[in-house]
Amino acid sequence: MKKWLLLVAAILLEVTATLSLRGALDHPALYLVVAAGYIGAFTVLSLVLRAGLPLGVAYGIWGASGVALTAVLATFIFGDPLTALMGVGIALVIAGVLCVELGMQAAHTRQNQDTQGAAS
């Protein structure tokens, strides 16, 4: 459970940094938030990996969630467009991450079965 909470924190830090990057165009002091957000995001992401979440899964969820959340929030905060085609793209990114996660689970199941079979 800890690794998932850390992953959520990493996602929120990255999204905050990215949205602040856009805001910093008008308010340069936000560059401090940008730097702190990205440093924090990568630091927490490293903690997620130390907690045992596989890199492909952690990075996939982090990246896909960041893209989706940033696109939606930018629509509300900055008035950026969010078209149906963009929605399809976000859904495809999320589907791709789901495929990576399911593939990782299948690989672990297969590895456990091979290990148990060799121990018998």
Side-chain angles (χ1 to χ4, degrees):
M1 180 59 127
K2 178 184 174 185
K3 58 188 167 189
W4 294 106
L5 291 175
L6 288 170
L7 184 58
V8 168
I11 292 165
L12 293 176
L13 284 164
E14 189 266 337
V15 169
T16 299
T18 302
L19 292 171
S20 296
L21 185 60
R22 170 76 186 273
L25 297 174
D26 296 324
H27 307 284
L30 286 175
Y31 284 115
L32 295 172
V33 177
V34 173
Y38 284 130
I39 290 168
F42 283 105
T43 300
V44 176
L45 188 59
S46 72
L47 296 175
V48 170
L49 298 176
R50 284 190 185 184
L53 201 61
L55 177 61
V57 173
Y59 185 74
I61 293 171
W62 181 68
S65 299
V67 166
L69 195 53
T70 299
V72 170
L73 290 175
T75 297
F76 292 108
I77 296 170
F78 301 112
D80 285 0
L82 185 61
T83 65
L85 186 57
M86 292 168 71
V88 169
I90 290 169
L92 287 171
V93 168
I94 292 169
V97 170
L98 181 59
C99 288
V100 170
E101 171 63 20
L102 293 173
M104 186 67 69
Q105 288 178 9
H108 282 294
T109 300
R110 192 174 322 114
Q111 183 180 16
N112 288 339
Q113 289 172 346
D114 290 347
T115 303
Q116 290 173 356
S120 303

